[in-house]
Every structure is written in structure tokens, then in C-alpha cells.
Amino acid sequence: MDDLIRIGAAASALGLSVDTLRRWERDGRVSFERRSGQRFLSAPELTRLLAERAGTGRSSARNRLTGTVIAVKRDGIMAQVEIACDNHRIVSLMSREGADQLGLKPGDTATAVIKATTVVVERP
């Protein structure tokens, strides 16, 4: 049962309601495993749905800077990606898995999508 996720937790991870997931089940879009009257989603199925939803372009971020990857530093868990966007240098910390999935390497074109709820103040 380690790789099974309750319907409520799956709905939260997907940004959906439990009712939406139930409708998807009725429509054959997703299948749940039932145990003791409760619905569970397998981890691979949740991963598939997350990947599917990631491709829908539902980001509300407005700041998008396209540039050239100038450095990618990877360690066991994290990656630091540096992008030159016009006269700006953007540095992003992300999971190594994410950087690997994007296949990021110096010379690639990439877009930095910036959405922040925090402002850092610096001195001139």
C-alpha cells in the first residue's frame, strides 16, 4: 500500500476537487483501486496525471525571459541553472530530476518563467 495515494491527497496534488477525479473515473480517464470502500490512486498513475497536466500550460506567471543556458551544475539532488537573458543573468535552483528531464546543457535555449510571492531587497 506504500505506492497508493488516497483520492483526497491525489486531488490536492493535482489541484483538482475529489468530485472531478470521481467524474474522470466515470469517464474512464483514470482508474482507482478500491480498498475498504475508499479510492486509492497508484503513484505511477498520479505521476502520469501530473505530467499530463504540466503540459497544459496553466501557469499564471507573466514574466518569461528567454535566453541561453550558460551553466548547469548538478549534484545528487539539486541543480543550479544559469541563463543569460539579454543583459540579465537568471540563476534557478531546481531538482536535479527536473533539470535532467529538460535535458538542460550550456548552449540550449530556455525560458525562465518567473512567479514570485517574495521580494528580496538588495543594496546598490
Side-chain angles (χ1 to χ4, degrees), residues 28-109:
R29 188 170 170 186
V30 67
S31 62
F32 289 95
E33 185 174 319
R34 286 201 166 85
R35 292 199 178 169
S36 302
Q38 295 185 13
R39 288 178 174 92
F40 291 89
L41 191 62
S42 71
E45 182 73 352
L46 178 57
T47 300
R48 180 189 69 79
L49 291 170
L50 285 167
E52 183 181 290
R53 288 187 53 78
T56 61
R58 294 177 181 243
S59 173
S60 63
R62 291 188 180 99
N63 299 312
R64 306 172 76 82
L65 301 172
T66 299
T68 302
V69 175
I70 56 176
V72 180
K73 297 176 188 167
R74 292 175 167 90
D75 67 15
I77 297 173
M78 298 299 293
Q80 178 180 311
V81 179
E82 190 173 341
I83 305 171
C85 303
D86 293 324
N87 61 341
H88 301 286
R89 178 178 154 260
I90 306 294
V91 178
S92 175
L93 297 176
M94 62 192 309
S95 71
R96 179 186 179 135
E97 181 182 3
D100 290 346
Q101 285 177 349
L102 291 171
L104 294 172
K105 61 188 181 310
D108 286 348
T109 299

